Amino acid sequence: MKKLEVHFLGGSGTVTGSKFYLHTEEVKILVDCGLFQGLKELRRQNWERLPVDVSEIDYVLLTHGHLDHCGYLPLLVRHGFRGKILGTAPTLEIARIILEDSAKIQEEEAEKANKEAYSKHDPALPLYTEEDVAFALNFFEQIEEGEKLSLSEHCDARFFYNGHIIGSTYIEIDLHGKRLVFSGDVGRQEDELLNPPKQPDWADYLFVESTYGDRQHPDEDVAHILTGLIRETLSHRGTLIIPSFAVERLQSLMYQLWKLYKKNRIPNIPIFVDSPMGNNVLEVFKDFPNWHKLTPEEYRNMCNHITLVSSYAETWETIDDTRPKIVIAGSGMVTGGRVLTYIKQLGDMDTTTILLVGFQAEETRGRKLLEGATELKIYGKYVPIKAKLYHLESLSAHADQGELLTWMGSIKNIPEKVFLVHGEQEAMEVYKKKIEERFNWNCHIPKMHEVVEILL
């Protein structure tokens, strides 16, 4: 009888930092390698070494390229990993863009903190550098969606399209006759840009995300809400700031706004996209047309309708532009990036509107805004917030409770165990009850750093 140890090194009891380590005598695999975001006690763990020998890891399998699934890779390599980092071609391209951007922001913020002396650390240091990222990229190796990969004599893996963002997949690992399925982040059944997620038909052990395990997305008329907010912005001669995740959400917003203009539902209000990373992701949409719904003509027309901001000087020009305007800027949880400059300069005006369009993790500035914060700490100083706040949950790239149940409902067998991951505790508790009621499956909510032993 062979033995498998599963180490829950992240994405356990929390939405961020996904890392699931599979340890056998034959092969050692890390599924995802993400950074923690949000709560300070979680973010501190980004600075700590993993409690396993990373030099032994043979493969990292990436479900997709978001920071909370790939952002720890430069540190993994710095600490001795020399195996292969496998993912679909668009996932690896997205991961490269996100890691390079992450390192750049960290280096810039460390430099700013040292210059303005607002950090408790002396000196303030970046978590990793652009040089660290460049070295980590040497271990990237692309795979084809649906292709069977032999990882060892008794271990195969396959990656299947699951929506969420461009390149995103769930992963099946067949190990000594047992199938482990890692959902990654499951996309929506109906999405403006992406096709519905494919579904697994068999799982002996299922590791499923539960970000929205406790709720359904509201049935919102997104076009109607956007139209109303834009008319209000025009009437007040203000600014509509939309903090956005640079991958898929930003492109989806661009597409929605372009469609509204094309249908004469909104006037030709200036729209600025200020996200160097988001601009780079647009190139990924151009390079991988088979991974999304946009035609080349739609892509071209959408890009031509919107002003892409590249330099920081242009950010200030956009802020100083007195016309009513829409600004879409990273990051989606208001944790960093160019959106901080806009909120710092314009957030204390009652003519400003801030529209949040995705999940906001605990202790992020986005969550604080949702909870009614009247000030935000930005670059070491507290900024008063007088802007009106709106939240569009239906624009989330994550499947809700009903869509997650539909996704796993295609599994023909009864899994030996279902592990609920990538969710806040309350959401997972609700989702656990729902799965047990619907399928009568054995569910477990693993704790951070828990080790589960499976006999194969």
Side-chain angles (χ1 to χ4, degrees), residues 211-349:
T211 313
Y212 286 100
D214 60 342
R215 73 196 89 160
Q216 309 286 349
H217 291 313
D219 187 14
E220 298 169 317
D221 186 338
V222 173
H224 178 73
I225 292 168
L226 285 173
T227 301
L229 291 176
I230 290 163
R231 284 180 181 157
E232 199 176 305
T233 299
L234 286 163
S235 169
H236 295 148
R237 297 197 59 78
T239 302
L240 173 59
I241 300 173
I242 311 178
S244 179
F245 302 97
V247 187
E248 217 269 323
R249 286 305 89 185
L250 185 145
Q251 294 76 32
S252 180
L253 280 163
M254 288 175 63
Y255 183 59
Q256 297 256 16
L257 293 170
W258 172 67
K259 278 201 312 181
L260 289 175
Y261 170 70
K262 193 174 69 164
K263 293 175 180 176
N264 294 317
R265 292 188 62 178
I266 61 171
N268 194 16
I269 181 173
I271 302 171
F272 298 92
V273 169
D274 193 344
S275 169
M277 180 166 55
N279 297 348
N280 291 333
V281 171
L282 274 172
E283 291 296 309
V284 181
F285 272 75
K286 188 169 87 173
D287 293 342
F288 297 98
N290 294 335
W291 280 85
H292 61 83
K293 295 178 183 176
L294 281 183
T295 67
E297 184 183 17
E298 284 175 321
Y299 172 86
R300 226 171 16 251
N301 291 339
M302 176 183 80
C303 291
N304 289 339
H305 179 63
I306 285 159
T307 302
L308 300 177
V309 176
S310 51
S311 71
Y312 201 51
E314 289 174 331
T315 296
W316 284 99
E317 288 170 15
T318 305
I319 288 168
D320 293 338
D321 191 326
T322 57
R323 295 176 296 170
K325 57 188 176 289
I326 301 169
V327 175
I328 307 171
S331 66
M333 295 187 201
V334 201
T335 51
R338 299 275 181 91
V339 78
L340 293 182
T341 305
Y342 288 97
I343 292 176
K344 186 178 179 185
Q345 299 301 317
L346 304 172
D348 66 344
M349 300 180 183

Side-chain angles (χ1 to χ4, degrees), residues 3-4 34 91 107 223 228 248 275 332 345 374 379 388 436:
K3 186 176 76 173
L4 163 68
T91 283
E107 288 185 290
E248 217 269 323
S275 169
Q345 299 301 317
T374 55
Y379 302 135
K388 292 180 285 297
E436 288 168 347

Side-chain angles (χ1 to χ4, degrees), residues 62 64-67 69-71 73-74 85-103 128 133 137 140 165-166 247 277 281 284:
L62 292 182
H64 64 290
H66 269 152
L67 191 68
H69 291 259
C70 75
L73 284 171
I85 300 168
L86 305 181
T88 65
T91 283
L92 297 185
E93 190 58 20
I94 293 293
R96 177 189 68 78
I97 291 167
I98 282 181
L99 290 172
E100 288 175 351
D101 184 77
S102 170
Y128 49 77
V133 170
L137 297 179
F140 278 20
I165 65 169
I166 191 167
V247 187
M277 180 166 55
V281 171
V284 181

Side-chain angles (χ1 to χ4, degrees), residues 19 62 65 73 87 101 103 112 125 127-128 168 201 261 265 292 294 298 355 357 386 394 442 451 454:
K19 299 180 203 73
L62 292 182
L73 284 171
D101 184 77
K112 186 177 176 71
L125 297 171
L127 185 60
Y128 49 77
S168 181
D201 58 10
Y261 170 70
R265 292 188 62 178
H292 61 83
L294 281 183
E298 284 175 321
L355 173 64
V357 293
K386 295 178 185 171
S394 58
N442 181 10
V451 179
I454 293 173

